[in-house]
Amino acid sequence: METTVVDVPEKGRFEVRVGERVVGLASYHVEDGTMALPHTEVDPSMGGRGIGTVLVSGVLDAARERGLHVLPYCSFVRHYIQQHPETLDLVADDDKPHFGLATADT
């Protein structure tokens, strides 16, 4: 079955779906060109399948397409950004130290 990430703005979240089944979500709030990401969750029965990674990748891709910075309050999102340095630019330089994402060249 296909895994997709879908924005559901009326619920303030992205959903990750396997087929038609919602198996995870990432809540968000957009204000002043910044997407705050406070929480992600994946159905425990779907653990270990990379569903969370697909979800966060889709959310960050959407933020990039919309020209938004992100505030990775969720530890899973922060970890993803740390493991995928090509996404680090989505966090504004001034916000990076707050999230432990400061690098030697910032």
Side-chain angles (χ1 to χ4, degrees), residues 1-12:
M1 276 197 255
E2 186 180 6
T3 302
T4 56
V5 177
V6 179
D7 186 7
V8 187
E10 64 274 14
K11 293 184 178 181

Side-chain angles (χ1 to χ4, degrees), residues 7-89:
D7 186 7
V8 187
E10 64 274 14
K11 293 184 178 181
R13 69 187 195 186
F14 284 85
E15 295 176 346
V16 61
R17 301 173 181 171
V18 174
E20 293 299 313
R21 180 177 167 217
V22 176
V23 296
L25 62 91
S27 58
Y28 73 91
H29 175 77
V30 176
E31 187 174 325
D32 298 327
T34 302
M35 179 185 287
L37 299 166
H39 178 72
T40 59
E41 64 182 78
V42 172
D43 183 330
S45 72
M46 299 299 286
R49 300 181 193 185
I51 299 291
T53 298
V54 170
L55 173 61
V56 173
S57 176
V59 170
L60 295 179
D61 285 349
R64 185 177 303 285
E65 289 170 11
R66 296 172 193 179
L68 301 172
H69 281 110
V70 297
L71 297 173
Y73 293 108
C74 171
S75 61
F76 190 84
V77 175
R78 275 195 313 276
H79 180 75
Y80 180 94
I81 291 170
Q82 289 169 333
Q83 298 301 310
H84 297 86
E86 69 277 9
T87 63
L88 190 59
D89 66 305

